[in-house]
Structure formats: structure tokens, C-alpha cells
Amino acid sequence: MKLFKKTFLLLVAVFATIAVTAQDKPKSPPEKVTGTINGATIEIDYGSPSVRGRKIWGELVPFNEVWRAGANEATTFETNKDLIIEGKTLPAGKYSFFIIPSKTDCIVIFNKEAKQWGAYKYKEKEDQLRVTVKQQSTDQTVEKLVYKINANDIVLSWDNWNIGFIVK
């Protein structure tokens, strides 16, 4: 009987361990990138989806529709100082960050309603700033969506596109 209890407890422990390790990790885990451009601290919070064999641009992310620029909650963009983005002023603050991609260019949007789920309740009238930029196609695939804050620009890279904008 004692051996049965020990064996039973061992099996319960093994199955519990398997159950915990077998749980899927989030497919679009939350990520955060922070950087400084011309003395302004910038923080971008986003869900980072993976390509996972899917066609991204024009299918998963439809052309000419507002996209949350990440996964799950809307991506947020926060700066502690005013910025000049593609020649236009963005006041210090926290914004939701959206993109409207097309085959030829992308509209980058900073929306005053920072806390949103996806782009489902997006309201254009709440836009603080919109700029149009040209995306760059790449030969290499970036599996997980990533933002990079560089010395003079910010770039979203995913699949075979880089979507960047100049920041001063």
C-alpha cells in the first residue's frame, strides 16, 4: 500500500509538470521598447505576433484599413517631450498607435485615445497626428513583429516590410 501511494503521488507530480509545461505560450506576447531621440524618452508597448507561415500584408493585415500596429490591445506610443515626426509636431503624451497600410505607402496614426482594444473602437476624430510614409520591402523575413527606436527614426519590422518614420 505504501508503494502504491508513493507511485500514485509520483505519477500525479509528473502529470502536473507535463500539464504546466505543455501550456501554450502566448502567440502574441506583450513587448516594450524604450529609447531616446534628441533628449525625448519614447516608450512603445505592443503585442508581438509572429508570421507563422501566414501572408501578412494585404491579407492578415488588410490594405487600406486601420490596423493596431501589433496584436491584442492597441499599441501605445508615449513620449515625455514634444517630437517632430516627418516634419509635423506630436505633443508630449501617450497615444494609441495605428497604421493604415497600402501597397504603396502607409499612414501612421497617433490617436489621443491611448487605452483601446485593437482598432475596433478607433475614432479618426481623436487623431492627434497622421503622417504618410513609404514602407521598405526586405529580402529577409522578420518572424516576430518588432519596433526599433534608433537615433533619428523608429521602425516597425515584420514579415518582409519595414515601416519607419523620421523623429526629431
Side-chain angles (χ1 to χ4, degrees), residues 28-34 44-51 56-57 67 69-71 75 97 99 138 140-150 153-165:
S28 301
E31 299 287 345
K32 181 184 293 190
V33 63
T34 303
I44 303 170
D45 284 300
Y46 62 101
S48 179
S50 296
V51 174
I56 302 302
W57 305 109
W67 172 54
T75 296
F97 181 77
I99 295 175
T138 65
Q140 292 184 334
T141 297
V142 176
E143 178 65 24
K144 286 183 57 60
L145 184 148
V146 65
Y147 283 88
K148 292 180 187 162
I149 300 173
N150 302 307
D153 68 354
I154 295 173
V155 179
L156 175 156
S157 299
W158 194 30
D159 191 19
N160 63 339
W161 277 16
N162 290 326
I163 302 170
F165 51 94

Side-chain angles (χ1 to χ4, degrees), residues 11-160:
L11 285 173
V12 168
V14 168
F15 284 120
T17 301
I18 291 170
V20 168
T21 57
Q23 290 178 351
D24 286 336
K25 292 182 180 178
K27 290 186 177 173
S28 301
E31 299 287 345
K32 181 184 293 190
V33 63
T34 303
T36 304
I37 298 179
N38 293 327
T41 300
I42 298 165
E43 183 175 285
I44 303 170
D45 284 300
Y46 62 101
S48 179
S50 296
V51 174
R52 297 192 317 265
R54 301 175 292 183
K55 179 161 174 35
I56 302 302
W57 305 109
E59 287 191 19
L60 182 67
V61 177
F63 287 140
N64 306 311
E65 292 182 22
V66 175
W67 172 54
R68 67 184 112 192
N72 305 322
E73 291 189 37
T75 296
T76 59
F77 182 102
E78 187 169 9
T79 175
N80 67 340
K81 294 185 179 179
D82 293 359
L83 299 173
I84 305 296
I85 299 197
E86 294 289 325
K88 297 179 179 180
T89 302
L90 179 70
K94 186 172 186 175
Y95 303 92
S96 54
F97 181 77
F98 299 103
I99 295 175
I100 301 174
S102 76
K103 290 179 181 180
T104 57
D105 56 27
C106 294
I107 300 170
V108 174
I109 303 166
F110 299 86
N111 186 275
K112 293 181 269 187
E113 203 172 311
K115 188 80 171 144
Q116 301 186 48
W117 179 261
Y120 302 108
K121 294 185 178 180
Y122 165 79
K123 296 180 186 97
E124 184 175 345
K125 68 180 181 177
E126 295 297 322
D127 289 353
Q128 178 67 49
L129 178 67
R130 282 178 165 226
V131 295
T132 301
V133 298
K134 296 259 185 219
Q135 68 273 15
Q136 301 295 316
S137 292
T138 65
D139 292 333
Q140 292 184 334
T141 297
V142 176
E143 178 65 24
K144 286 183 57 60
L145 184 148
V146 65
Y147 283 88
K148 292 180 187 162
I149 300 173
N150 302 307
N152 298 308
D153 68 354
I154 295 173
V155 179
L156 175 156
S157 299
W158 194 30
D159 191 19
N160 63 339

